[in-house]
Amino acid sequence: MSEFSFRSLTFMLLLAFLIWSCNFETCIARRGKHWRQSRPSSASVSKKNGKSGSHGSNHKQHHGGVSKPKSPSHNTTPPLPVPTPAPKPKETVKPNPPQKGYNGAGSTVFNVQDFGAKGDGSTDDTKAFQTAWAAACKVEASTMLVPADYVFFVGPISFSGPYCKPDIVFQLDGTIIAPTDFNAWGRGLFQWLEFTKLIGITIQGKGVVDGRGSNWWQHNAYEDPLDDELKLIVPLNNTKVNPPAPITSELGGKMPSIKPTALRFYGSFNATVTGITIQNSPQCHLKFDNCVGVLVHDVTVSSPGDSPNTDGIHLQNSKDVLIHSSSLACGDDCVSIQTGCSNVYIHNVNCGPGHGISIGSLGKDNTKACVSNITVRDVIMHNTMTGVRIKTWQGGAGSVQGVLFSNIQVSEVQLPIVIDQFYCDKSTCRNQTSAVALSGINYERIRGTYTVKPAHFACSDSLPCMGVSLTSIELKPVQERYHLYEPFCWQTFGELRTPTVPPIDCLQTGKPTSNHIQTDYDSC
């Protein structure tokens, strides 16, 4: 064999040995821990480039500082899967102390049961509610949860908010019940559950606030003031109309004379109540005092028609109020609009039993009252004492102006339309010349049936009612238990824009010839 042939053969054998050694090292490396640790970087690059390492990738893998040749294309051994690291838990902002709560639906939730509430209907859960609120109060847009399927026994609480973060949600899905032992109330309190000085507070859910007020009604009914319009209702047998008989109480014990409101908001901005039921309050069910931006919708108020002074919704010194899509059954005004209210819009409300929707009473004890821009429309009233009413005391000052009652459907309502500027909830009241001035009061599309009198306008001698307009009034009598009366007007001036049924001829057109000029104190 020639020297050239021998060298060629030697070179070919050496080359074959090198190739065999290289493939063997690659296979061993694939099984090694060191390869798996360095592999993810190149594998991820291959995937981003849309290429696989078995299809001729040109990138180099560095192993021990030696550049290794690529694997043969026929090698189909798949790489081992790369473990995916567990996601890092999201950080939840928690108050300290206590550090309880969980993050759900983007809001930190504080369940009262995590703070010791039992929810068995007998254990006092007041402290647990207070502690849960204190925790929620420190977290913006947090939720305090009262869970469903539990009954929480809670005493008087003030959910105070001067230092609370805004936009707290009180999620009420369970039931909250009030104490029925007079010892829990001391000498009496003006409210049971109070939300004070909050921004963006919302109470929502399908839960129930139960004031269990029958014990209050039983022992104090005859001490309560009487609605003045009772004097206009005369039974057919001429017997005296007595106060409603109080509900019989099985709880026993005389309750304090000061009866609490079930749920009260004071000094708050953008307060919302939706979805819940408030029932059997000792006195008023839901009250807003000194609030700006109030929204109430899809709320149910439920108390017997003979439960004394149990207003459904009470507004005082509040503005920019919207109430809609709610059902209000109680023993007094379904909605009561007091002094200091403006820009109030009420629509799509069912009212009854109760005393209708009222502005007032205003001007009691020679006080000044200012109410303006009130709209009540698309309301159904059944079996109520009055329908839409304005009531003021003699001796008051201020004004009521810019009121619209529209599309009110009444069914067996005793007094559908009332203005009473001689209101008095006592046995006797002193005659006085000053009065709250009424102007721009508009009634339109008020239709249905009445059982006593279709319209009663009793206005001040010194400050007659002005700008009273009637449009499309159709009221038909239903005689059941009471004497029926014709429409009544006293010092009432305005305009009949369409014929009315029955005719309300007593309304005087134009303006009064002489009228008391309001002083600066009178004007609003």
Side-chain angles (χ1 to χ4, degrees):
M1 180 181 295
S2 66
E3 182 178 353
F4 175 79
S5 299
F6 178 77
R7 290 180 176 178
S8 298
L9 179 60
T10 302
F11 176 77
M12 292 179 64
L13 290 173
L14 179 60
L15 180 62
F17 176 78
L18 290 174
I19 292 174
W20 177 83
S21 299
C22 182
N23 287 339
F24 178 77
E25 181 182 358
T26 301
C27 292
I28 295 300
R30 286 180 179 173
R31 294 182 177 89
K33 179 180 179 182
H34 181 77
W35 184 89
R36 286 200 300 271
Q37 289 176 340
S38 61
R39 183 68 178 175
S41 175
S42 60
S44 61
V45 171
S46 298
K47 290 181 180 179
K48 289 181 180 179
N49 292 335
K51 300 177 181 179
S52 172
S54 62
H55 287 80
S57 173
N58 292 325
H59 69 278
K60 296 182 179 181
Q61 298 176 351
H62 296 281
H63 181 75
V66 179
S67 177
K68 299 179 65 176
K70 61 186 178 182
S71 301
S73 59
H74 59 79
N75 190 340
T76 59
T77 303
L80 295 177
V82 179
T84 303
K88 182 180 180 181
K90 295 182 179 179
E91 292 184 0
T92 302
V93 179
K94 298 181 181 180
N96 185 27
Q99 291 190 346
K100 295 181 181 180
Y102 62 90
N103 190 282
S107 173
T108 304
V109 179
F110 298 87
N111 189 326
V112 294
Q113 291 184 312
D114 292 335
F115 294 81
K118 301 300 182 183
D120 57 13
S122 59
T123 303
D124 189 348
D125 292 322
T126 305
K127 185 176 180 180
F129 271 62
Q130 291 172 326
T131 309
W133 173 261
C137 192
K138 298 176 183 178
V139 182
E140 183 173 351
S142 63
T143 297
M144 177 175 165
L145 174 63
V146 181
D149 303 321
Y150 294 92
V151 178
F152 299 91
F153 177 84
V154 174
I157 298 180
S158 178
F159 298 97
S160 184
Y163 305 104
C164 278
K165 299 293 184 180
D167 302 324
I168 297 177
V169 174
F170 190 100
Q171 182 72 34
L172 176 58
D173 294 323
T175 297
I176 303 175
I177 59 174
T180 55
D181 183 354
F182 66 91
N183 291 320
W185 299 96
R187 295 184 179 180
L189 297 171
F190 288 104
Q191 51 271 329
W192 170 32
L193 306 174
E194 182 179 38
F195 291 81
T196 304
K197 297 180 181 179
L198 297 164
I199 299 175
I201 177 65
T202 297
I203 297 181
Q204 65 182 26
K206 300 298 182 183
V208 177
V209 175
D210 189 348
R212 301 203 287 180
S214 62
N215 207 33
W216 303 83
W217 310 331
Q218 167 72 20
H219 293 287
N220 294 289
Y222 291 97
E223 301 172 15
D224 290 311
L226 299 179
D227 199 309
D228 191 45
E229 265 57 76
L230 284 171
K231 69 178 182 293
L232 302 175
I233 302 169
V234 180
L236 290 174
N237 58 7
N238 289 318
T239 58
K240 183 179 179 181
V241 178
N242 292 318
I247 306 301
T248 300
S249 170
E250 298 177 357
L251 301 173
K254 184 175 176 62
M255 302 300 283
S257 59
I258 300 175
K259 300 191 297 182
T261 290
L263 185 58
R264 183 199 187 212
F265 291 80
Y266 175 79
S268 295
F269 292 86
N270 295 336
T272 298
V273 180
T274 178
I276 68 171
T277 295
I278 311 172
Q279 65 189 29
N280 301 324
S281 177
Q283 193 164 254
C284 179
H285 288 78
L286 177 60
K287 180 182 290 186
F288 296 90
D289 194 353
N290 281 278
C291 293
V292 177
V294 172
L295 174 60
V296 179
H297 67 94
D298 298 285
V299 165
T300 299
V301 168
S302 178
S303 287
D306 51 4
S307 56
N309 300 106
T310 54
D311 296 63
I313 301 175
H314 183 98
L315 305 174
Q316 184 169 333
N317 294 314
S318 296
K319 62 182 180 179
D320 303 332
V321 178
L322 174 59
I323 300 171
H324 70 90
S325 309
S326 296
S327 180
L328 310 174
C330 54
D332 210 305
D333 296 327
C334 292
V335 181
S336 173
I337 303 168
Q338 299 294 321
T339 184
C341 292
S342 62
N343 300 332
V344 177
Y345 192 93
I346 301 168
H347 71 97
N348 292 101
V349 167
N350 291 331
C351 169
H355 292 187
I357 294 178
S358 296
I359 298 174
S361 58
L362 305 173
K364 185 176 183 180
D365 298 325
N366 304 105
T367 56
K368 180 179 179 179
C370 296
V371 175
S372 62
N373 195 17
I374 309 297
T375 298
V376 178
R377 67 185 313 149
D378 307 325
V379 173
I380 296 175
M381 297 186 180
H382 176 69
N383 194 27
T384 58
M385 186 181 74
T386 62
V388 289
R389 173 171 58 161
I390 301 174
K391 47 183 179 175
T392 68
W393 289 72
Q394 296 182 75
S399 68
V400 176
Q401 53 187 342
V403 178
L404 172 63
F405 298 113
S406 175
N407 195 30
I408 312 296
Q409 183 69 40
V410 297
S411 175
E412 299 183 30
V413 171
Q414 294 168 339
L415 303 158
I417 301 173
V418 174
I419 292 179
D420 184 1
Q421 289 204 271
F422 301 90
Y423 189 81
C424 174
D425 62 7
K426 307 173 184 177
S427 57
T428 58
C429 292
R430 182 169 60 93
N431 288 330
Q432 301 181 68
T433 56
S434 61
V436 179
L438 305 187
S439 63
I441 316 299
N442 303 284
Y443 303 88
E444 64 180 31
R445 297 194 304 279
I446 300 180
R447 298 165 178 167
T449 59
Y450 66 94
T451 61
V452 175
K453 186 187 298 185
H456 180 84
F457 296 118
C459 296
S460 168
D461 290 303
S462 57
L463 269 176
C465 301
M466 296 190 297
V468 177
S469 70
L470 301 174
T471 306
S472 300
I473 308 299
E474 298 179 11
L475 299 169
K476 298 180 180 180
V478 174
Q479 189 166 39
E480 295 177 334
R481 297 184 295 160
Y482 310 109
H483 281 288
L484 289 171
Y485 296 94
E486 297 297 321
F488 172 83
C489 305
W490 179 260
Q491 294 294 324
T492 310
F493 292 81
E495 178 184 7
L496 287 173
R497 295 180 177 173
T498 63
T500 62
V501 178
I504 306 179
D505 300 328
C506 58
L507 183 70
Q508 301 181 64
T509 60
K511 297 181 179 180
T513 55
S514 62
N515 190 32
H516 169 69
I517 302 202
Q518 284 188 304
T519 65
D520 291 338
Y521 174 71
D522 294 329
S523 60
C524 291

